[in-house]
Every structure is written in C-alpha cells, then in structure tokens.
C-alpha cells in the first residue's frame, strides 16, 4: 500500500467533499432550535467511524446530546490512543457578516490560504480537525499500518461546557482506558511553523443581573433620583480592572502560577510580530495587563471580559427610559492552580458587595473548568513533535494557548492520562466568528501528520 502522502493526494477530493457534507448540518449545541441537526450530526459521525474501519461504534445516550464512541482494538497488549473531538459548533451569528452562508460550505482562497480554505461554521472548530482523525484512521486501516489500539470519543456539547461528557467519563473509566489522549481542537503558529499546545486556560462564566426600580421609569421624572441599573452595571464592571489592568477582585491572583524569568524568556522565542497582529485586527495598539507582553497576556495570565451586555431601550429612535434591569455575561479565563469554583465564588462575593444600596444584584454561574499544562518531556509530546518535524520539515514549538477545553483537566483526573494537543488551525481561521474557515493545506497536513504520531508513540512506548 502506498504511503500516507500519496494516499492523501489520491483521495483528497473525497476527503474534502465528505467534510463539506458534515459541515452542512447545523449542529449548534447552544440553541435548541437546532437539536435535531445536532443529533443528525452525531449519526453522521457514527457512520463515518464505521466506514473508516472501527470494529465497534456506539451512540452513547447521555442526559444531553449523544457521545459517539468508536474503537478498533488490534491487540490488548499494545498501547491505546484515545481521540477526543466535538461535532457541535458555535452559533453562526451575526449572520449578516458572513460573506457566504455558514452552513453552505464553499472553498475560497485567502492571503494566508492561497491553496483554498473551506468556509463554514465548524470548519476548523472542530468538525474539520476532528474529521482529520477519522481519515487518518481510514488510511491506517486501509494500509494495514495501524500500530496500536484506538478509541474515539466525539461529543456534541463542547461549546456549551461538556456537562454530559463529564457525566459519561465518570461512568466509563474502564471503557475509556488509554495510554494517551489525542486532540486536534487548537491551533498552531503558522503553516510554516507548527506548534504543540502545552497549556490551556481555565474558565469561569457567569451572568449578572442588576435590578433597580420595580418597573421601567420615565427618565425625566425619575432621572437623577434613583439608581439607573445600566449606569450602575457599567460602573461596577469598570471597577473590576484597575489602571494597570489588573483585576480587582480580592484573592483573584492568590493561586496564580507565576512563570520564572527563564520560562518567560523561552516563551518570547516563539515567532511573533506585533505589527502583523495589530494589522490583522485593524487596531492602533494592543491593550492589557501592565508588565506583560501580548503573548503572555493571552496565555499565562488570567482575564476578565464582558461577553455581552444589555438592558433598556435598543429599538429604533429614542425612548426616554430608565430600565428596571441591566444584564451582562462575563467570562474569566483562568491559569493553572486557580480553581474555577473558587474564582466563581470570589467573583460573586465581590460583585455583590460593590453594588450600591439602590440596586440588587444576582450572579448566576454558568459553566467552567480548570486550566491545563503539560510537560514537553513525555512520550506523547515527543511523538507529536517527531510527527510534525517529519511533515513540516521543522520541529514544533511548545505554546500555551489562551483558549479553554475544560474537559482536558477532567481527563487527567478521571482517566489518569495526559492529553496531547495537536492543533492544525490558525488564529486567523476566525473560529467562533463570522467567516470561520479551515485551510485545505491544514486539513490535509493534519491527515498526513496524525498516523506518524501513532507510529512514533508506539515506537517510543516500547
Ligand atoms: N477549540 C476551542 C478551544 C481552543 C481553540 C483552544 C483554539 C485553543 C485554541 C473550543 O471549542 C472552545 O471554543 N472552548 C471554549 C470553552 C467552552 C467551555 C465553551 C472557549 O475557549 O471559549
Ligand atoms: Mn473546539
Ligand atoms: Mn469552540
């Protein structure tokens, strides 16, 4: 049988078309209007794993969306790789900013992807990256080169906090037993410079509600005499950062793991152009915590950001009104050793305590998760690096990412194994944004690189 490179060349059109079919199903987990589509997508994932060569594929029912479990066990004495991915996607809005429809995938070229990229919601996060693993399995089965056992666990609630996956993992530790967990749901530095994600931030996501008077009021008759919940909410939110952009919640930084000067110097070696960064976002300058550079602010430092804020009159024209209520959704990205339950508690106490007497405040926690860091001297990391080195011609650089995959720390706790984050996306792929896309180069390179991970992982495990 030919090698992986020629297999990809020979089958690439089919690989692309199969992914496009998967992307057409709008599996938006956050919105119940799409629930049948989410279920249809799980079914499509199941069929794809059967076709790729799994011996057993199960639709595992959960309190939420099903988890697709697949396996091919060739010899119980050989190592087992557990592949995790998610088939759900973020909501596509704002719709009007898409240049083509989010669930009608099209291939377009960009400056960064001259060979073309598939534009669709979920193209990179995570259907495209998950499907690379399905096609890599197909190759290894077809060419009889699968060197170890493989298990797949593909969920449909990652974008809403993975509640059912936590439930499933706790109940299926034996079934999910493995030697290493492999995930492609992160990014790399560029198509010329691969990187391996060695850290993820944790998360605490809360919603706040500020209530003032018992009804919306005339802003002339009452303005100036009662607390305006929107004014108050804005003031409270503004007070959560000081002039150095440190977060002011008492105790917030107590457990933050500080990096040594050596570690920070090592981080600074990763290629990065501030000019390009600013140009790509059309901003005149960056903004953030004093004492840290951009690549530290967005990875090793915790943050607090408003993700949405609303209240009062938002229709056409002007309405003179003091709203009874104001709302905001707030995320805090956390770093290793910060505990998300503790941070949620600290936030709730502080936010409630700074409210003036004229309003009441309600804080509702949503989901969260712990951060993650992984060493670079493990067999898994080395195998991943060897695989990237072979397909890209240069070694991968370890990078701590700012994003969160809360389930990774749970895997370590429940399944006692390390996760290797082999991402093939780029920051410019616009995940969660309008016009999300995934480079054809990246997709095919991923399919090419994954079988090498298996090969080297098994070799290094001997
Ligand atoms: N795949 C992303 C996380 C990610 C992307 C990590 C790029 C590193 C690099 C994942 O699907 C995601 O969006 N996670 C959420 C958290 C979740 C609890 C909703 C996030 O980071 O906002
Ligand atoms: Mn993802
Ligand atoms: Mn995501």
């Amino acid at each position: 049988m030919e090698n992986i490179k020629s297999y990809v060349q020979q089958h690439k059109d089919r690989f692309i078309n199969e992914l496009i079919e998967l992307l057409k199903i709008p599996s938006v987990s956050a919105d119940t209007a799409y629930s049948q589509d989410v279920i249809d997508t799980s079914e499509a994932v199941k069929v794809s794993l059967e076709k790729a060569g799994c011996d057993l594929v199960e639709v595992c029912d959960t309190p939420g969306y099903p988890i697709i479990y697949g396996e091919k066990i060739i010899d119980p004495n050989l190592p087992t790789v557990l592949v995790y991915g998610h088939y759900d996607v973020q909501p596509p809005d704002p719709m009007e900013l898409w240049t083509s429809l989010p669930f009608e995938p099209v291939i377009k070229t960009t400056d960064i992807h001259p060979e073309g990229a598939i534009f669709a919601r979920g193209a990179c996060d995570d259907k495209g990256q998950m499907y690379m693993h399905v096609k890599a399995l197909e190759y290894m089965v077809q060419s009889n080169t699968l060197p170890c056992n493989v298990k797949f666990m593909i969920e449909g609630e990652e974008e809403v906090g993975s509640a059912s996956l936590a439930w499933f993992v706790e109940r299926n530790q034996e079934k999910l037993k493995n030697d290493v967990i492999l995930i492609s749901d992160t990014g790399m530095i560029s198509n010329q410079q691969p990187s391996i994600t060695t850290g993820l931030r944790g998360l605490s996501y809360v919603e706040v509600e500020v209530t003032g008077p018992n009804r919306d009021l005339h802003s002339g008759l009452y303005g100036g005499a009662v607390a305006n919940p929107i004014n108050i909410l804005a003031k409270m939110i503004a007070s959560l950062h000081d002039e150095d952009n440190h977060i002011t919640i008492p105790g917030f930084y107590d457990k933050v793991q500080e990096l040594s000067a050596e570690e920070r110097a090592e981080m600074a070696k990763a290629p990065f152009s501030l000019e390009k960064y600013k140009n790509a976002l059309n901003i005149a300058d960056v903004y953030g915590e004093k004492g840290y550079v951009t690549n530290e602010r967005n990875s090793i430092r915790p943050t607090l950001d408003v993700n949405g804020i609303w209240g009062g009159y938002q229709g056409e024209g002007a309405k003179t009104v003091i709203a009874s209520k104001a709302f905001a959704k707030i995320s805090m990205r956390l770093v290793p050793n910060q505990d998300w339950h503790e941070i949620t508690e600290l936030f709730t106490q502080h936010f409630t305590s700074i409210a003036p007497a004229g309003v009441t405040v309600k804080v509702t926690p949503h989901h969260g998760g712990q951060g993650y860091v992984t060493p670079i001297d493990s067999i898994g990391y080395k195998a991943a690096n060897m695989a990237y080195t072979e397909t890209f011609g240069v070694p991968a650089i370890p990078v701590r990412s700012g994003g969160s995959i809360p389930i990774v720390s749970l895997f370590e706790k429940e399944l006692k194994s390390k996760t290797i984050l082999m991402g093939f996306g780029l920051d410019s792929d616009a995940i969660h944004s309008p016009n999300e896309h995934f480079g054809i180069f990246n997709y095919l390179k991923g399919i090419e690189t994954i079988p090498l991970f298996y090969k080297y992982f098994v070799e290094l495990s001997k």
Side-chain angles (χ1 to χ4, degrees):
M1 185 73 161
E2 71 261 77
N3 67 19
I4 178 67
K5 247 192 155 69
S6 55
Y7 190 82
V8 169
Q9 277 315 309
Q10 201 185 325
H11 297 275
K12 65 178 179 196
D13 291 342
R14 176 172 58 83
F15 289 175
I16 292 165
N17 290 330
E18 286 177 13
L19 174 56
I20 284 176
E21 288 308 308
L22 195 63
L23 290 168
K24 284 183 185 168
I25 321 174
S27 50
V28 180
S29 52
D31 185 345
T32 51
Y34 294 95
S35 57
Q36 189 55 48
D37 299 298
V38 182
I39 291 166
D40 290 349
T41 308
S42 74
E43 194 55 38
V45 171
K46 171 182 180 251
V47 171
S48 74
L49 282 170
E50 284 166 349
K51 281 193 183 154
C54 280
D55 294 332
L56 168 76
V57 185
E58 294 172 346
V59 177
C60 305
D61 287 324
T62 73
Y65 287 121
I67 288 163
I68 303 301
Y69 174 82
E71 65 176 34
K72 187 167 181 70
I73 307 296
I74 59 171
D75 178 350
N77 295 316
L78 285 169
T80 300
V81 175
L82 173 66
V83 175
Y84 162 82
H86 62 94
Y87 62 80
D88 64 319
V89 302
Q90 283 276 322
D93 59 275
M95 289 292 268
E96 66 279 9
L97 295 182
W98 284 78
T99 54
S100 54
L101 290 172
F103 300 109
E104 290 179 20
V106 286
I107 297 174
K108 289 184 268 194
T109 59
T110 71
D111 289 351
I112 291 174
H113 296 293
E115 70 302 310
I118 305 174
F119 280 71
R121 170 58 83 229
C124 176
D125 184 13
D126 179 41
K127 283 174 175 167
Q129 296 212 70
M130 177 270 291
Y131 206 68
M132 300 180 314
H133 288 268
V134 180
K135 295 297 99 178
L137 174 69
E138 173 192 310
Y139 163 73
M140 291 185 285
V141 171
Q142 289 302 317
S143 61
N144 227 334
T145 55
L146 179 67
C148 60
N149 308 308
V150 58
K151 296 176 178 174
F152 278 78
M153 175 170 60
I154 314 296
E155 70 151 319
E157 292 175 35
E158 196 277 342
E159 299 292 6
V160 290
S162 299
S164 299
L165 187 72
W167 178 94
F168 182 74
V169 170
E170 278 161 26
R171 284 164 183 73
N172 289 280
Q173 283 163 340
E174 195 50 41
K175 184 192 193 88
L176 300 172
K177 222 168 157 279
N178 65 81
D179 296 280
V180 70
I181 298 169
L182 185 60
I183 303 181
S184 296
D185 192 24
T186 53
M188 55 178 189
I189 293 174
S190 74
N191 283 357
Q192 292 71 45
Q193 179 56 67
S195 51
I196 298 170
T197 302
T198 52
L200 293 164
R201 286 196 283 196
L203 179 71
S204 164
Y205 201 108
V206 298
E207 186 164 332
V208 299
E209 180 186 310
V210 175
T211 306
N214 60 2
R215 59 184 164 90
D216 288 9
L217 302 174
H218 188 290
S219 66
L221 295 182
Y222 290 93
V226 296
N228 176 332
I230 303 177
N231 292 9
I232 300 290
L233 176 60
K235 210 166 166 175
M236 288 168 73
I237 288 170
S239 79
L240 296 175
H241 290 92
D242 68 15
E243 60 287 357
D244 291 334
N245 276 316
H246 292 302
I247 294 155
T248 55
I249 300 169
F252 187 84
Y253 291 99
D254 282 2
K255 295 195 173 162
V256 166
Q257 191 184 79
E258 303 283 346
L259 266 64
S260 66
E262 293 77 46
E263 286 172 304
R264 290 177 70 183
E266 200 53 45
M267 272 188 78
K269 286 185 190 161
F272 176 73
S273 156
L274 191 59
E275 276 319 298
K276 279 192 189 148
Y277 187 85
K278 290 192 284 190
N279 287 339
L281 302 177
N282 234 324
I283 49 174
D285 206 353
V286 291
Y287 186 87
E289 189 183 1
K290 194 176 167 186
Y292 296 90
V293 298
T294 297
N295 276 345
E296 295 174 330
R297 289 170 177 168
N298 67 19
S299 65
I300 60 164
R301 298 299 295 166
T303 61
L304 184 152
D305 277 296
V306 177
N307 294 241
I309 183 163
W310 69 101
Y313 183 65
Q314 285 158 61
E316 203 181 317
K319 178 186 180 195
T320 48
V321 66
I322 292 174
S324 165
K325 285 177 186 290
F327 306 84
K329 291 185 194 271
I330 297 175
S331 69
M332 288 162 278
R333 296 283 168 171
L334 309 177
V335 298
N337 294 347
Q338 283 183 299
D339 176 78
W340 80 271
H341 293 107
E342 224 170 276
I343 293 292
T344 305
E345 191 49 44
L346 288 177
F347 175 90
T348 306
Q349 269 173 25
H350 178 67
F351 204 71
T352 318
S353 78
I354 59 174
V359 299
T360 54
V361 169
K362 193 168 111 195
V363 178
T364 310
H366 281 270
H367 50 253
Q370 315 292 34
Y372 183 71
V373 268
T374 183
I376 62 171
D377 56 5
S378 68
I379 293 176
Y381 185 91
K382 284 181 189 159
N385 192 22
M386 286 162 80
Y388 279 110
T389 307
E390 192 163 323
T391 51
F392 285 80
V394 285
I397 294 177
V399 168
R400 277 177 63 172
S401 171
S404 308
I405 309 177
I407 209 69
V408 171
S409 65
L410 191 103
F411 287 157
E412 181 156 67
K413 188 166 149 248
E414 299 281 341
L415 304 175
K416 313 272 179 295
S417 47
K418 285 275 170 207
T419 292
I420 301 301
L421 297 158
M422 284 181 84
F424 292 89
L426 300 178
D427 284 355
S428 56
D429 288 346
I431 63 171
H432 294 205
S433 305
N435 305 308
E436 175 177 354
H437 54 279
F438 190 36
I440 303 281
F441 169 90
N442 303 67
Y443 178 50
L444 300 178
K445 213 50 160 183
I447 300 171
E448 202 183 307
T449 309
I450 290 162
L452 293 168
F453 171 83
Y454 283 70
K455 176 180 153 196
Y456 292 124
F457 184 75
V458 173
E459 274 179 29
L460 293 173
S461 299
K462 278 179 188 152

